[in-house]
């Protein structure tokens, strides 16, 4: 009666044919052990395929902790060493030197030590990215400034020889002379020789 009273209405139909408490318990165990096994496989697959991507270290650690806790609740305990392996495997390429050092550490690193070291390493990598970004911006600015000055000098040199910007804008000298009269240029058009 106690077992019947706690079974939800959505599944009670599967156990209505049981005549004894032993049959009822065996039916429940058989049915839900399969579901529990499937759920554990799904959680393990998700844990092993986990990657950091753009997530921060605290977010990654929380996700790994959540999956390992769900597996523990389902009866599948994940050892400390397995959690270390899963965490190092999930890190992105910025942490490759760090992960290599942690794998070769003797004695092996524990989860608590790994998580603390990861938080420190995240700060170092963030500072490195910031410095690299600022350096690349400075190089781009210098390159852009050099191109601008080079183009400006070419413009001045070409205009002094009469083949610069003005020649391109007013290819006909007679048309150009009408717009520049009174500025040191002759207003009378020159005759072209045959």
């Amino acid at each position: 009666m106690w077992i019947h009273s706690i079974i939800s209405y959505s599944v009670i139909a599967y156990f209505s044919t049981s005549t004894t408490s032993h049959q009822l318990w065996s039916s429940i165990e058989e049915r839900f052990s399969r579901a529990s096994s499937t759920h554990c496989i799904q959680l393990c697959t998700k844990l092993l395929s986990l990657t950091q991507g753009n997530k921060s270290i605290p977010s990654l650690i929380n996700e790994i902790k959540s999956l390992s806790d769900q597996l523990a609740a389902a009866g599948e305990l994940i050892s400390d060493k397995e959690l270390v392996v899963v965490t190092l495997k999930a890190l992105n390429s910025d942490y490759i030197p760090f992960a290599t050092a942690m794998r070769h550490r003797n004695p092996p690193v524990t989860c608590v030590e790994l998580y603390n070291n990861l938080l420190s390493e995240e700060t170092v990598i963030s500072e490195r990215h910031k410095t690299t970004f600022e350096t690349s911006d400075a190089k781009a600015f210098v390159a852009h400034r050099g191109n601008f000055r080079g183009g400006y000098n070419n413009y001045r040199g070409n205009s002094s020889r009469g083949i610069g910007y003005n020649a391109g804008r007013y290819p006909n000298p007679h048309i150009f002379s009408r717009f520049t009269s009174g500025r040191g240029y002759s207003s009378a058009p020159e005759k072209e020789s045959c």
Side-chain angles (χ1 to χ4, degrees):
M1 289 178 61
W2 176 79
I3 295 176
H4 271 292
S5 65
I6 61 172
I7 295 177
S8 63
Y9 289 106
S10 59
V11 296
I12 198 170
Y14 297 107
F15 313 115
S16 59
T17 58
S18 300
T19 56
T20 64
S21 59
H22 182 268
Q23 288 179 347
L24 178 59
W25 186 257
S26 298
S27 300
I28 293 172
E29 184 179 14
E30 182 182 1
R31 180 167 187 83
F32 287 105
S33 63
R34 295 174 186 172
S36 178
S37 176
T38 303
H39 183 58
C40 286
I41 292 173
Q42 290 174 346
L43 290 173
C44 285
T45 303
K46 190 173 181 180
L47 183 63
L48 293 174
S49 61
L50 191 63
T51 55
Q52 181 181 359
N54 295 325
K55 292 190 287 287
S56 64
I57 291 298
S59 298
L60 177 66
I61 293 173
N62 288 337
E63 192 168 352
I64 293 173
K65 186 71 167 60
S66 174
L67 290 171
S68 63
D69 288 346
Q70 292 179 55
L71 281 166
E76 293 288 336
L77 293 176
I78 306 296
S79 67
D80 192 80
K81 186 183 296 184
E82 289 171 331
L83 285 177
V84 169
V85 172
V86 168
T87 305
L88 293 176
K89 179 181 174 294
L91 297 173
N92 61 30
S93 58
D94 291 331
Y95 294 85
I96 289 177
F98 173 83
T100 303
M102 291 297 106
R103 287 189 183 97
H104 292 89
R105 181 170 162 180
N106 190 17
V109 66
T110 64
C111 272
V112 175
E113 292 174 331
L114 177 62
Y115 293 165
N116 291 334
N117 289 332
L118 273 174
L119 292 174
S120 300
E121 186 70 12
E122 183 180 38
T123 304
V124 173
I125 290 175
S126 298
E127 290 296 326
R128 188 187 308 153
H129 282 179
K130 183 179 178 181
T131 304
T132 304
F133 180 76
E134 290 174 352
T135 304
S136 62
D137 273 1
K139 288 181 179 178
F141 175 75
V142 170
H144 177 71
R145 185 180 178 189
N147 291 337
F148 175 76
R149 294 181 66 181
Y152 178 68
N153 290 334
N154 290 337
Y155 158 70
R156 294 182 64 186
N158 290 341
S159 63
S160 64
R161 293 192 297 269
I163 58 173
Y165 173 76
N166 290 336
R169 186 172 180 185
Y170 304 110
N172 189 335
H174 302 302
I175 298 175
F176 178 71
S177 63
R178 287 181 293 178
F179 288 98
T180 56
S181 60
R183 298 184 183 178
Y185 295 91
S186 174
S187 59
E190 298 178 2
K191 294 183 179 180
E192 295 181 4
S193 59
C194 296

